[in-house]
Amino acid sequence: MTVPTITLNDQTTIPQLGFGVFQVPPDQTQATVESAFGVGYRHIDTAQMYQNEAGVGAAIAASGLPRDELYVTSKLNNAFHRPDDARRTFDETLTKLGLDRIDLFLIHWPLPTRYDGDFVSTWRTLAEFVADGRATSVGVSNFQPAHLDRIVEETGVVPVVNQIEVHPYFGNEEARAASHRHGVVVEAWSPIAQGAVLDDEVVGKVAAAHGRTPSQVTLRWHVERGDIVFPKSMHEARMRENFEIFDFALTEDEVAAITALDRGEDGRRGPNPDAFDWIPD
């Protein structure tokens, strides 16, 4: 099954479906990613704070896959927003991944109440990694509309993606609209609301109509709305299920019915980026 690609605003392309390794234990990451490669995934999403970049790197090295067939994303640790810290830890990310170039590197959280509210300097630093050829693209994660507006206005550098919480119970439509206004593609994290939507009656009816699982229908909903999605599972059967979403389509009414499940802020399952200020020890 061929995974479609999306063209980003820097004219590079990214697979619309990827494999996420959030909460995959470091000692199980290599085997898990190798299983994902076996299913057909070629887009891997990790982060410094996941503490499993080395496992991803080991899986890449063991795979024998050509570098140009892989798309690898990582994200900046909240503790390293200051420019010199970001530069140092970016070097460490490349070393752990065993790469001389990463496809996409993101600011993981804006942390507007930390670092004197200065995430702009951090963004300028990430742009350096593109200029020196060690990152193909850079983007952001969990950026609210005001955060996006600020970095674009103050630097002139537009992120290629904004990775934000999006699922049927929390459409995050204001952040999606702000991203689209800037030509930024949305990546949806927590795409099935940590499993909460799988028992939803509306999702279940759509799944039954197509002879598919609720997870497949929900992921397909994301894809048809134009977002990038990277579900996580440590079980190969579920990895395969999540991969097989490109041989059917939802109707416009079905997409609308799932979109209508949005609960607004009450549906948010993760922290609010305006207030989130956690820095790991």
Side-chain angles (χ1 to χ4, degrees):
M1 190 171 296
T2 301
V3 176
T5 59
I6 289 178
T7 300
L8 303 174
N9 60 34
D10 62 359
Q11 302 310 304
T12 63
T13 59
I14 184 172
Q16 193 171 11
L17 176 69
F19 184 78
V21 296
F22 176 57
Q23 294 182 330
V24 176
D27 62 352
Q28 298 177 54
T29 301
Q30 179 177 351
T32 300
V33 174
E34 287 179 356
S35 293
F37 285 153
V39 169
Y41 292 90
R42 296 294 183 266
H43 171 186
I44 305 298
D45 183 278
T46 184
Q48 293 176 350
M49 290 193 293
Y50 301 169
Q51 300 182 17
N52 55 18
E53 290 173 314
V56 172
I60 291 170
S63 72
L65 292 167
R67 177 66 181 91
D68 62 3
E69 290 185 11
L70 296 174
Y71 195 99
V72 184
T73 299
S74 193
K75 313 177 195 75
L76 183 68
N77 187 309
N78 288 353
F80 303 133
H81 270 221
R82 299 196 189 284
D84 284 345
D85 291 336
R87 295 181 186 107
R88 171 184 53 78
T89 198
F90 180 73
D91 287 338
E92 293 173 358
T93 281
L94 291 180
T95 298
K96 290 175 181 177
L97 291 170
L99 302 175
D100 58 10
R101 172 187 58 81
I102 194 168
D103 297 285
L104 178 60
F105 195 66
L106 310 179
I107 297 178
H108 204 152
W109 290 88
L111 306 177
T113 63
R114 293 278 189 171
Y115 302 104
D116 299 319
D118 180 17
F119 46 80
V120 176
S121 295
T122 312
W123 179 237
R124 285 196 178 98
T125 304
L126 263 63
E128 294 175 8
F129 306 149
V130 175
D132 66 24
R134 292 182 299 153
T136 301
S137 304
V138 289
V140 295
S141 182
N142 301 299
F143 271 48
Q144 299 279 62
H147 305 148
L148 274 177
D149 291 344
R150 182 179 170 193
I151 61 171
V152 173
E153 289 170 4
E154 295 190 28
T155 72
V157 180
V158 181
V160 297
V161 303
N162 187 15
Q163 187 177 121
I164 55 177
E165 179 180 355
V166 180
H167 48 77
Y169 289 163
F170 182 60
N172 210 349
E173 297 299 350
E174 289 186 9
R176 288 184 78 243
S179 299
H180 295 160
R181 185 174 70 247
H182 287 292
V184 176
V185 174
V186 170
E187 294 188 323
W189 64 258
S190 194
I192 58 173
Q194 301 169 354
V197 303
L198 301 185
D199 294 325
D200 188 273
E201 182 179 356
V202 171
V203 174
K205 286 182 178 179
V206 175
H210 289 272
R212 298 288 176 152
T213 67
S215 179
Q216 288 174 318
V217 162
T218 304
L219 295 175
R220 183 68 204 180
W221 171 79
H222 285 282
V223 165
E224 294 199 13
R225 291 187 352 137
D227 294 351
I228 297 165
V229 66
F230 36 88
K232 168 252 174 176
S233 176
M234 295 179 64
H235 304 287
E236 187 169 335
R238 182 58 63 83
M239 293 179 196
R240 196 170 301 279
E241 174 189 333
N242 292 339
F243 192 77
E244 295 173 347
I245 60 171
F246 298 106
D247 57 351
F248 76 102
L250 306 181
T251 67
E252 290 184 7
D253 287 345
E254 289 169 338
V255 170
I258 295 173
T259 301
L261 297 173
D262 189 0
R263 300 173 179 175
E265 197 64 29
D266 289 342
R268 188 191 292 272
R269 301 186 67 84
N272 188 312
D274 286 322
F276 189 59
D277 65 353
W278 179 73
I279 292 181
D281 296 331

